[in-house]
Amino acid sequence: MQIDFKNIREQFMRMPIVLHVLLIGGVLCLLSAITLQALRGYTLHNQAIVVPDVKGLQLEEASTFFENNDLRYTVIDSVYTKDVSPGAIYEMVPGAGSKVKEGRIIFVTLNARTVQTAPVPDVADLSFRQAYALLQSKGFTSVDILYVPGRYRDLALGVELRGNSLKPGERVPVAAQLVLKVSDGGSAPNAASGDSINTSPDPSRPHTEETTATSSENEKWF
């Protein structure tokens, strides 16, 4: 059986709408195939790079690992910690071992080369709770409480570092062990406060003896 292509072509020519639909369908299929192929190449389909573990390394050393793995990096922040050496990488996002695409930017946090400091706030005449919260808000997390003789109970008197009184505004390391001096109101602190105070005689701390008989009255009032 011989196919009459001439007759078929003439029939298609008499139906231009069908011809146009077929042409449009062919063009769409071709464009879809080209787009999918391009996306596979652009997104590196089924290809991943494992982020190297460079935490603790200096940025100059870590940059070599990033370049060898076709990764980029940018420093977004710095902190101060004793966990890693100054200037070393403290944290990465995405973390070590994560699978990423080639050229991905790794966000790096460095450990500061200098000790982080903050100004000591003026805590005099504040309540114990206010003074303690103010110190913490400035970044001071290591604060001991020392009750000393004073007229008003739980009134902050000042801040000390290694036995030396600190002036308001004086900058000290935020990791320093500060001592917040608090007035005892003429009586020993309540055991329920959670502060351990040494009540044994100490020659280096004069005037720490038990108060007079009126202290029992103060204890009952407070």
Side-chain angles (χ1 to χ4, degrees), residues 160-205:
E160 288 186 350
L161 175 61
R162 292 189 290 271
N164 298 318
S165 296
L166 298 176
K167 297 179 180 179
E170 186 175 350
R171 300 191 70 91
V172 297
V174 294
Q177 189 73 39
L178 301 183
V179 176
L180 176 61
K181 298 176 65 176
V182 180
S183 172
D184 63 2
S187 62
N190 194 329
S193 64
D195 302 308
S196 59
I197 306 299
N198 185 6
T199 57
S200 59
D202 186 350
S204 64
R205 293 176 58 191

Side-chain angles (χ1 to χ4, degrees), residues 19-203:
L19 180 60
H20 289 166
V21 170
L22 292 176
L23 289 174
I24 293 173
V27 172
L28 289 176
C29 291
L30 181 61
L31 290 177
S32 298
I34 295 174
T35 303
L36 290 175
Q37 188 63 30
L39 287 175
R40 289 192 183 97
Y42 180 76
T43 59
L44 301 176
H45 187 62
N46 291 331
Q47 297 183 32
I49 297 174
V50 178
V51 178
D53 187 3
V54 294
K55 290 181 65 175
L57 297 181
Q58 296 294 318
L59 188 59
E60 296 78 9
E61 300 175 300
S63 61
T64 303
F65 288 90
F66 289 135
E67 292 173 0
N68 292 340
N69 288 276
D70 296 321
L71 298 173
R72 296 178 295 166
Y73 69 89
T74 181
V75 178
I76 60 172
D77 198 4
S78 64
V79 297
Y80 181 77
T81 176
K82 297 180 180 179
D83 297 338
V84 297
S85 59
I89 294 179
Y90 174 71
E91 189 176 24
M92 301 184 305
V93 178
S98 301
K99 293 184 178 181
V100 298
K101 300 297 183 181
E102 180 182 344
R104 172 66 186 269
I105 297 178
I106 308 300
F107 300 99
V108 176
T109 299
L110 297 179
N111 187 26
R113 295 184 180 274
T114 56
V115 177
Q116 184 180 0
T117 63
V120 176
D122 187 3
V123 299
D125 297 330
L126 295 179
S127 69
F128 156 68
R129 294 183 182 276
Q130 288 177 315
Y132 191 83
L134 183 58
L135 287 170
Q136 286 193 319
S137 69
K138 296 296 183 180
F140 300 106
T141 56
S142 300
V143 182
D144 290 336
I145 309 301
L146 176 63
Y147 278 91
V148 297
R151 183 176 180 181
Y152 300 104
R153 172 76 175 180
D154 288 334
L155 182 68
L157 303 177
V159 181
E160 288 186 350
L161 175 61
R162 292 189 290 271
N164 298 318
S165 296
L166 298 176
K167 297 179 180 179
E170 186 175 350
R171 300 191 70 91
V172 297
V174 294
Q177 189 73 39
L178 301 183
V179 176
L180 176 61
K181 298 176 65 176
V182 180
S183 172
D184 63 2
S187 62
N190 194 329
S193 64
D195 302 308
S196 59
I197 306 299
N198 185 6
T199 57
S200 59
D202 186 350

